[in-house]
Amino acid sequence: MGQDVASSNEQELSPEDQSVLDGLELAVERLHDADSEIASAALSYLVREVRSATSSMTSVPKPLKFLRPHYETLKLCHSLQDNSSVTKKLLADLIAVLAMTMSKPGSREILFFKKQGFISDLGSWGHEFVRALAGEVGAEYSARQLIEKKAQLDNEDLVGLIDEIVPFHLQHNAYAEAVDLLIETQRIHMLLGNYPSRPDKMLIDESNFRRVCLYLLRCGTYIADPDDLKHLRQCAFHIYERHCDLCAALSVALQLGDDDKIVPFSDRCKQLFDMADNSMRQQMSFLLARHRSKFEYPEDCEVDAIIGNNQLKVYYVDLGRDLDVMDPKSPEDIYKSHLGDSAFSRASNISARQVDSARANLAATFVNAFVNAGFCKDLLMTEDGNAWLYKNKEYGMLAAAASLGMIMMWNVEEGLTTIDKFLYSNEEYVKAGACLAIGIVSSSVRHESDPPIALLPEHVESSSPIMRTAAIVALGIAYAGSARDDVLDALTPVFTSSDVMGDVALATLSLGQIYVGTCKSEVASLIAQKLMEASDASLEMPESKFLGLGLGLLFFGRGERGDAMLEALKTIEHPISLCASVTLETCAFAATGDVLKIQKMLHLCAEHRLEPVANTTPALMEATVLPKTPKATHQSAAVIGIALVATGEEMGAEMTLRTFDHLLHYGEPAVRQAVPLALALLRISYPDYGIVDQMSRLTHDADAQVALNAIVGLGLIGAGTNNSRIAGLLRMLAEHARDPSSLFVVRLAQGLLHLGKGLLSISPFHADRSLVCKPAMGSILTFLYCCLDLKHTILDKHHYLMYNLASAMVPRFLFTVDVELNLLPVSVRVGQAVETVGQAGRPKTITGFQTHTTPVLLGVDDRAELASDEVLAKSHVLEGVVIVEPRRSEVPSG
């Protein structure tokens, strides 16, 4: 066979190729020569030819083609050589290179022969050979792990090769291949070392550390093992820290959180703050403030005030002034009823408002609060609050008084002065609204006077049910993410002395928001005990689902740390335990993209409740229809859970969108009703055209609950964007609404769409979508769980729970300041973000950009970069408040 190939080649080959072929075949023959010098010369010739051919490989080199028929001959020759001879090692090197094209798949012959050859100077055989060898090293390591799972692995033979391959890759800018090999072989710590041949030179230096760290962190999305992910992030943290990119190091520390038991998050932050100069400290403080971190830095009061978000109101108002949107807006400015298509539609709107004026006024209260949020001025409450208050009744008065908190949001001192007079009202509902306003105005702000803990605990045990409820909810909003033990002490009596399920459920929700993602055992045991002790009748109440949500928020993003609590929930016989388990499991793996969890939730969604057979009696129907879950709330929770796990990971989110199409077609009513909310969760404050179209179709669904949730979903997708397409759709829905409930929900969606006059966002993601703000996500989940049962929450007496969204509200700006923290306008390019991980050269990070002067608004998928080289940003990501300073020009010496 080999002779046939050779003879056919001889007819086709050029004289030069024929000369090479003859020389190679002669050298192979001479390898068997009895004279060792002749054999050695023949081997040297073969090595020289193959090396010169493989050093720059664009196609399969001719020597490799010509030596294919002799591969087995060379292997035989190798086996006959003396083990101690240099010739055998060099021949092993040669066969390893030939094995790239000649070995059988899975045989790992490249590695087998290379281990018997010379391990040093791998690069002399070409880049392609090193890549092929690296692939086989990774495969061999994985195979050994499977075989010797319990035994101690001996990988010394592989370690030597890894120590040669990784420096070669890094020297030749193949960062991705180097990191992939280290991840596969669990030697990621090697990146922190030096070159073996040059102990004075670090593997990761100033020229490549950003690329390597970016690739490392992106790989984290696809790493399932929590320990491996922790080690990967620790490595990235140390690299950033070593190269004094402290803002990026802090971002990684926030991703690590408290998962690292050896070095707690607070210690890492303290370490970075102690290393930094004053302006870098302030920049890191702005990142912590955006993340709603509970970290405190008492060594510097100014820095601590920034972390506590005390500067936010100033920059927000400056932004509004710069964009000329300071004038307050009325609800009618948002509704734009005069743009109706027909006289009939306008007349129907007017009649609907007259028939249901209390509900229309309630809607106007919420729209007014959302639109004028943080501007400290509106046309309903701040001018003459009493007049508007008494146009509402009972819970409407509560919502109106509480709206002051949102209008004055972040401005604690002025806000308290404005709210104070309502605390002394004769109306219980107005006083309760003022309590709630105190919580809202303090949301995300750590003020030195700390008014909520001073004023609210006395009302937690009030004899008035509405005062208790308002104080409980207000504490949750004010201290979301703070993990404050004094707030726990204030709320504990609700669990120990109250049997009112509504109070207990809302206290659970507040504690879940306060201790979000902390796994606080004391809080978990309080909630679990209440779940076990509660009667079946109390667990049937609409508020009871907040017990599961509060428990889920406690373990938010902590993965397997929630497993013990999942086992405890299995002991509860009531169907609510299934809903709580689903909520807990999906919260624990939120934003991880964990495919197995998504599959598990899809299995739950695929369950079909038994349909009664025709002509069956009511008694037999009751006996045959499935469980005591009349609303199958666990399925609704599973749908939202799918979106919660997939959000933040773009590929998983895209796949999930397709999955939701199937659920809409084939799912149970409880599943279909939750799909619009899940779609919205995937695209919070991000009006993606495809999803807006899908939502628009769902607003006309035959199932009224699906239609209402789709309207809410439109509001969430467009929250704070002023998106004209969504505004038009909502205006059409309002014109043709026949049902007061539909009109009310449309108004709420319109309020959300124009949140903060288009200057606010409720997206929980920041720092280039690499970080998720847990208190923000907790408040969004609270709102979504309310929407699962709109009839008994938002459309009933619990509409004030919408104010939980205050914890998620944040200005969507890029605001550049100087080192004195005063506005410093600079030119920036703003465009759609482009993924550049692993790309060669210096690829563009944005596309379709426009040049603006700061301050400037940023969308969820927007990215900004400085347009001038004359200034330098202290932050690695241009978002929020960024300190910029003139770039120092290097003065030549001499």
Side-chain angles (χ1 to χ4, degrees), residues 275-413:
M275 286 174 63
D277 59 18
N278 189 52
S279 59
M280 181 54 81
R281 269 195 214 116
Q282 291 172 331
Q283 185 62 68
M284 291 194 290
S285 301
F286 284 119
L287 177 58
L288 290 174
R290 171 65 183 90
H291 197 68
R292 308 286 193 260
S293 173
K294 61 181 184 288
F295 176 72
E296 296 180 17
Y297 193 68
E299 289 87 343
D300 188 330
C301 296
E302 188 180 348
V303 165
D304 203 45
I306 295 172
I307 299 172
N309 258 325
N310 288 282
Q311 297 288 326
L312 188 59
K313 62 180 186 291
V314 178
Y315 297 130
Y316 180 58
V317 171
D318 283 352
L319 173 72
R321 194 177 294 115
D322 190 84
L323 298 177
D324 196 22
V325 292
M326 292 302 291
D327 293 339
K329 288 196 173 187
S330 68
E332 185 52 41
D333 294 334
I334 304 305
Y335 300 161
K336 292 187 169 62
S337 303
H338 61 283
L339 297 177
D341 286 346
S342 63
F344 172 76
S345 67
R346 287 196 291 274
S348 66
N349 275 339
I350 293 166
S351 63
R353 283 197 292 275
Q354 289 169 347
V355 170
D356 199 34
S357 60
R359 179 158 281 185
N361 288 347
L362 181 61
T365 294
F366 281 111
V367 171
N368 181 63
F370 287 142
V371 172
N372 296 299
F375 283 99
C376 302
K377 191 177 180 184
D378 74 319
L379 298 174
L380 299 184
M381 288 299 299
T382 52
E383 290 190 351
D384 185 9
N386 286 325
W388 182 254
L389 270 177
Y390 291 101
K391 286 186 180 180
N392 294 277
K393 56 185 183 182
E394 297 187 351
Y395 284 90
M397 295 172 87
L398 185 155
S403 71
L404 266 176
M406 189 159 280
I407 293 162
M408 308 298 294
M409 196 160 61
W410 307 320
N411 195 340
V412 177
E413 290 169 3

Side-chain angles (χ1 to χ4, degrees), residues 453-723:
I453 199 67
L455 300 171
L456 297 176
E458 64 181 281
H459 299 297
V460 170
E461 297 183 76
S462 167
S463 58
S464 165
I466 190 61
M467 290 295 291
R468 286 199 306 270
T469 301
I472 289 167
V473 174
L475 284 170
I477 295 172
Y479 294 108
S482 67
R484 294 246 314 242
D485 288 339
D486 52 350
V487 187
L488 172 59
D489 295 339
L491 289 173
T492 301
V494 180
F495 290 89
T496 54
S497 58
S498 175
D499 291 324
V500 181
M501 177 49 74
D503 290 354
V504 172
L506 292 175
T508 299
L509 189 56
S510 289
L511 283 177
Q513 290 174 326
I514 292 163
Y515 285 93
V516 61
T518 61
C519 305
K520 179 89 170 176
S521 57
E522 189 180 341
V523 179
S525 57
L526 269 176
I527 300 170
Q529 187 177 353
K530 208 66 188 178
L531 269 169
M532 292 170 184
E533 292 173 355
S535 63
D536 284 1
S538 63
L539 291 176
E540 293 294 337
M541 293 176 66
E543 299 96 331
S544 62
K545 61 178 172 290
F546 293 134
L547 289 167
L549 179 57
L551 196 57
L553 290 177
L554 203 60
F555 294 92
F556 187 93
R558 300 305 295 274
E560 295 169 355
R561 293 283 295 277
D563 289 354
M565 187 52 65
L566 282 172
E567 292 300 317
L569 288 173
K570 289 177 184 176
T571 62
I572 302 169
E573 294 180 2
H574 192 276
I576 197 173
S577 69
L578 182 55
C579 182
S581 297
V582 169
T583 304
L584 171 56
E585 195 166 0
T586 51
C587 282
F589 288 89
T592 60
D594 192 300
V595 178
L596 296 177
K597 296 301 171 191
I598 292 175
Q599 287 175 345
K600 187 175 180 180
M601 295 304 123
L602 283 171
H603 280 300
L604 284 175
C605 295
E607 291 174 1
H608 285 282
R609 299 167 70 208
L610 293 178
E611 295 293 332
V613 182
N615 302 322
T616 50
T617 62
L620 188 57
M621 259 174 62
E622 282 182 22
T624 55
V625 172
L626 262 182
K628 269 190 181 181
T629 48
K631 292 174 186 168
T633 49
H634 73 283
Q635 288 190 314
S636 300
V639 176
I640 288 179
I642 291 169
L644 182 59
V645 173
T647 187
E649 198 274 288
E650 199 52 43
M651 190 180 296
E654 288 293 335
M655 292 169 69
T656 305
L657 291 175
R658 292 201 293 273
T659 304
F660 285 152
D661 286 338
H662 298 301
L663 294 182
L664 279 170
H665 282 102
Y666 307 113
E668 291 286 302
V671 172
R672 295 187 74 250
Q673 288 164 10
V675 168
L677 301 174
L679 285 169
L681 181 56
L682 287 171
R683 293 287 186 267
I684 293 281
S685 291
Y686 180 14
D688 180 85
Y689 287 116
I691 296 184
V692 170
D693 284 343
Q694 191 169 6
M695 286 287 198
S696 178
R697 290 193 295 274
L698 291 175
T699 56
H700 303 287
D701 197 89
D703 185 333
Q705 182 70 31
V706 174
L708 289 175
N709 284 348
I711 295 168
V712 171
L714 279 173
L716 289 171
I717 288 170
T721 63
N722 286 353
N723 185 272

